[in-house]
Amino acid sequence: MNLIDMPFREKTAWAMSVILTLGAFYYFEDVVSVSRALGHTAPPIVAFVIAYVVFIAVTSAIVMSILGGTAGKEADAPADERERRIMDKAGNWSGYVLAAPAIGALFHYANYGDGNMLFHIVFLGLMLSQIAEYVFQIILYRRGG
Amino acid sequence: MAKPPPIGNRIRELREQHGNMSQAALAEAIGVTRQTVIAIELGKYSPSLESAFRISRVFGVGVEDVFSWE
């Protein structure tokens, strides 16, 4: 399937998965560098979280407006039955991606009592589940539904 | 790769019989995207009962004339 034939929602899923992956990469690059400088796990840094959220919001708004502008009326059309099913399935599966690190973080906290690490792992889980949701959507669009 | 549903269809053949109706025109008529019509035609997606009836009405035939259990 070429880019022209690709459904609008699959294009947005590709765009959002790339944007979220970049955001997660930059966020954790900062967290790791601060942790190295401190010699222990960095505490939750609100400025990094705000920077991450602003990056995602601004980048996705720009990319979505470009995609929406090129998609014409397809961008305004509500999701059809197959697309709704794809979004439901992807949303359901991504819940497991969130649950796995959350459970891991709880066990880590129970063993080591490191609340900072608990925060970072859960935040990573949130990022991964969002990325996974879009990746699952892409896979389901490719499979047919 | 998921196993395709065991449901066959004659949508392509019926489109050709109806003045080479395009996939986009059929999609518009039944209220889905063209990609969904492609997925149904290729047997990758089983439409809802409502869409199956809408498709059969567009072609003026019964549902069983469009879809079959393989």
Side-chain angles (χ1 to χ4, degrees), chain B residues 14 26 30 50-67:
Chain B
L14 288 163
L26 178 60
I30 63 169
E50 182 184 338
S51 290
F53 273 106
R54 285 182 191 280
I55 292 167
S56 62
R57 282 179 74 104
V58 166
F59 295 127
V61 294
V63 178
E64 68 280 10
D65 297 317
V66 184
F67 297 97

Side-chain angles (χ1 to χ4, degrees), chain A residues 81-82 144, chain B residues 7-9 11 30 32 35-48 51 55 67:
Chain A
E81 59 176 53
R82 184 178 70 103
Chain B
I7 297 171
N9 71 79
I11 295 175
I30 63 169
V32 299
Q35 289 83 8
T36 294
V37 167
I38 294 169
I40 295 170
E41 250 188 53
L42 293 174
K44 289 180 171 182
Y45 172 70
S46 299
S48 65
S51 290
I55 292 167
F67 297 97

Side-chain angles (χ1 to χ4, degrees), chain A residues 24-39:
Chain A
F25 178 78
Y26 287 124
Y27 175 85
F28 277 100
E29 197 179 36
D30 288 345
V31 170
V32 168
S33 62
V34 170
S35 298
R36 280 199 181 126
L38 292 173

Side-chain angles (χ1 to χ4, degrees), chain A residues 73-127:
Chain A
K73 66 176 183 180
E74 193 189 346
D76 298 324
D80 72 13
E81 59 176 53
R82 184 178 70 103
E83 293 173 325
R84 282 196 301 274
R85 201 160 91 170
I86 286 172
M87 287 189 278
D88 288 348
K89 269 190 194 174
N92 186 23
W93 293 349
S94 71
Y96 296 109
V97 179
L98 173 61
I103 292 166
L106 290 174
F107 274 104
H108 188 274
Y109 183 75
N111 285 312
Y112 301 100
D114 185 350
N116 293 334
M117 187 60 89
L118 174 79
F119 175 87
H120 293 309
I121 297 174
V122 171
F123 198 54
L124 176 68
L126 282 169
M127 291 172 173

